[in-house]
Amino acid sequence: MDAVRMHAASPESTAIVDAVLDYSRRRMLAADVPLDKPQSEAELHRLVGPTITDAGLGAARALSVFEHVLAPACLTTSHPLYLSFIPTAPTMAAIAFDLVVSASGLYGGSWLEGAGAVHAENEVLSWLASEFGLPDTAGGVFVQGGTIGNLSALVAAREAAKARLIAAGKDLPTRWKILCSVEAHSSNKSAARVMDADVLLVPAGEDGVLRAEGVREALLAHGDEICAVVATGGSTNFGIVDDISGIAALKDEFDFWLHIDGAYGLTAMLAPEARHLFEGVERADSVIVDPHKWLFAPFDCCALIYRDPDSGRRAHTQHAEYLDILTDVDEFSPSDYSIQLTRRPRGLPMWFSVATYGVTAYREAVSAGLALTRRIADEISRRPELRLVRDPQLSIVVFEREGWERADYDRWSSALLDSQRAFVVPSSHAGRPNTRFAILNPLTTFEDLVGILDTMK
Ligand SMILES: *Cc1c(COP(=O)(O)O)cnc(C)c1O
């Protein structure tokens, strides 16, 4: 077979592109997307049969297998009643533009190769930085997700701490410590493991909030060994915001790197009514927020922003003879700011979406999620058989059904998914089973949520 067949323009290529675009178009514009559900590996094996063959199945057959068997075995995480973990809810413009990013051979790692794309991504990062109150000079890069964003920021923090101690003529600690709340996201603890650093877990209050006193005590006790203090701007389980303003104020007393893990919740700063919860973010040395969570971008996308981008660059620039042409210049190359070299310009779908709809539409969509959460929390409090585990601060509401054991939640959750009504999984807090709604999709309605509560009577 001709070696160029798979790449060249031809009637066969046209048919493949048409079939894939047609599928994408139907899926994007469907009024009612299915929730779908997983299948066992044995069942998929039985239904699909072997797909990797010497001769190839042909596009029609491969696409058909995907559309009729594989895709229905994947949950639609952007479904309005996918309410577990943290859902995703990309805008139409963002989803459509994701295809453009793949279609165009764009490389987002360096200015030399991707100047236009990088410029657009940087526009979005600058806008976010200004929403967070960071200086005009703040900047960074879109990385794959919050886990990589946190790790990249914490590595930059450690390099900065090292430089500070060396400049002061002090010894470096044998082990670095990263301070965070017991309620902080697992990715911070995972970052510490990757960095071979220790995690200094500070207890949060009953309400889940990490407060300045605990951080202050730890800074007094461990001082120079602490390379970063992580405050959470919206915990993943509860959507609780740490006392960022109190923790940030400790900078008047101690010299430390403040990282804000806002993967899920920092988005709420776009809503004027929630901004006050995040006072102090403007003093952060680094922040992350995941547009693939509450900023309406498709997977996978985390915005990592440094107050001083040079601190990211010093930690992350990779050097090699073949890369000197990129790193010996002053141009802004995104790969210099995180743990990754090759990158798609994954911020472009969000850029296109914000450029299309404007910032006001984003504020309104975020406010709507906050208001709906408040409303359903009130409804939960009114129901005698239900109990809020904590009062929601953002868009996650965690609640218990009186008298239910874990097995009751399991049965109820499975029935909701089997009937394709909703995806709401059991969770737990302090050893007690519960369930939660994470609400951020503008297509989720109060009536939908009330309908789910009715199934718990
Ligand atoms: C989701 C989340 C992360 C991890 O982000 P990924 O994109 O899943 O890697 C980190 N921190 C918080 C607070 C999160 O909610």
Side-chain angles (χ1 to χ4, degrees):
M1 191 57 76
D2 182 352
V4 304
R5 173 189 162 210
M6 297 191 293
H7 295 82
S10 68
E12 184 191 20
S13 295
T14 305
I16 293 172
V17 171
D18 284 349
V20 170
L21 290 182
D22 175 62
Y23 170 79
S24 305
R25 195 169 187 286
R26 277 186 283 122
R27 178 78 197 198
M28 278 184 245
L29 296 175
D32 248 333
V33 287
L35 187 52
D36 292 325
K37 59 177 186 177
Q39 297 272 8
S40 71
E41 192 184 350
E43 183 64 2
L44 286 175
H45 205 73
R46 190 184 71 73
L47 291 170
V48 176
T51 53
I52 304 306
T53 61
D54 280 345
L57 304 182
R61 180 80 205 289
L63 187 59
S64 169
V65 165
F66 180 76
E67 176 168 0
H68 300 295
V69 184
L70 301 176
C74 300
L75 281 166
T76 302
T77 58
S78 55
H79 189 283
L81 288 178
Y82 177 107
L83 300 164
S84 293
F85 313 119
I86 304 287
T88 190
T91 66
M92 281 291 175
I95 299 168
F97 208 75
D98 206 39
L99 299 177
V100 175
V101 177
S102 297
S104 313
L106 299 174
Y107 180 76
S110 72
W111 189 265
L112 174 67
E113 291 149 289
V118 174
H119 175 75
E121 289 188 304
N122 286 349
E123 290 257 301
V124 179
L125 292 170
S126 295
W127 164 59
L128 290 175
S130 75
E131 292 288 339
F132 304 151
L134 294 169
D136 291 349
T137 45
V141 54
F142 286 100
V143 297
Q144 173 268 331
T147 300
I148 300 295
N150 281 335
L151 175 60
S152 298
L154 294 172
V155 167
R158 181 182 58 193
E159 293 310 302
K162 223 190 256 176
R164 195 176 63 230
L165 291 192
I166 290 170
K170 293 188 186 170
D171 290 337
L172 298 181
T174 43
R175 297 200 42 100
W176 292 102
K177 292 187 166 61
I178 293 167
L179 184 157
C180 63
S181 155
V182 287
E183 305 226 359
H185 190 267
S186 50
S187 57
N188 294 293
K189 298 153 201 169
S190 146
R193 270 198 307 279
V194 173
M195 293 165 66
D196 199 22
D198 293 323
V199 182
L200 200 56
L201 286 180
V202 176
E206 260 303 289
D207 53 5
V209 175
L210 175 68
R211 295 211 157 66
E213 297 117 69
V215 176
R216 184 165 187 281
E217 276 170 33
L219 284 166
L220 278 174
H222 302 280
D224 288 343
E225 289 169 3
I226 295 176
C227 63
V229 171
V230 179
T232 303
S235 61
T236 320
N237 201 13
F238 283 96
I240 299 291
V241 183
D242 285 340
D243 172 22
I244 295 172
S245 93
I247 295 167
L250 294 171
K251 277 178 161 281
D252 295 334
E253 209 180 326
F254 303 91
D255 198 358
F256 64 94
W257 179 291
L258 175 60
H259 174 64
I260 306 294
D261 179 2
Y264 149 69
L266 204 56
T267 296
M269 285 190 82
L270 294 186
E273 66 276 21
R275 257 194 94 80
H276 67 278
L277 294 170
F278 298 90
E279 215 174 283
V281 168
E282 70 282 356
R283 296 190 69 177
D285 296 285
S286 55
V287 309
I288 64 155
V289 62
D290 275 357
H292 65 216
K293 286 179 172 167
W294 201 2
L295 270 171
F296 314 119
F299 296 138
D300 36 23
C301 189
C302 165
L304 160 63
I305 302 176
Y306 300 96
R307 163 179 226 89
D308 169 16
D310 280 344
S311 60
R313 187 172 173 145
R314 279 192 291 274
H316 293 297
T317 300
Q318 295 188 24
H319 293 282
E321 287 168 344
Y322 84 103
L323 294 174
D324 286 347
I325 185 165
L326 301 177
T327 51
D328 285 351
V329 293
D330 276 340
E331 288 165 347
F332 185 94
S333 286
S335 291
D336 289 341
Y337 298 87
S338 74
I339 295 160
Q340 65 184 355
L341 185 60
T342 296
R343 65 181 291 277
R344 76 196 323 255
R346 54 168 40 83
L348 274 189
M350 181 176 179
W351 165 78
F352 182 69
S353 182
V354 182
T356 296
Y357 301 119
V359 170
T360 304
Y362 274 72
R363 287 196 207 294
E364 287 170 0
V366 174
S367 285
L370 292 166
L372 178 55
T373 307
R374 193 62 262 163
R375 205 173 155 207
I376 200 66
D378 291 345
E379 177 65 27
I380 289 166
S381 322
R382 268 198 293 277
R383 297 195 171 208
E385 75 280 11
L386 300 179
R387 190 181 76 84
L388 288 178
V389 177
R390 277 175 182 160
D391 209 35
Q393 273 190 315
L394 301 179
S395 75
I396 296 170
V397 55
V398 184
F399 56 103
E400 293 177 357
R401 165 66 165 81
E402 197 188 66
W404 275 17
E405 308 286 336
R406 177 58 189 253
D408 298 302
Y409 288 97
D410 285 339
R411 264 192 304 276
W412 165 79
S413 172
S414 300
L416 282 177
L417 185 58
D418 285 341
S419 63
Q420 290 287 286
R421 180 168 196 158
F423 182 63
V424 187
V425 296
S427 180
S428 70
H429 178 63
R432 289 164 64 101
N434 62 38
T435 192
R436 61 194 266 292
F437 293 160
I439 301 166
L440 50 77
N441 191 322
L443 299 179
T444 308
T445 69
F446 180 67
E447 291 68 29
D448 289 335
L449 299 177
V450 165
I452 296 173
L453 298 183
D454 287 343
T455 63
M456 302 180 87
K457 277 186 176 156

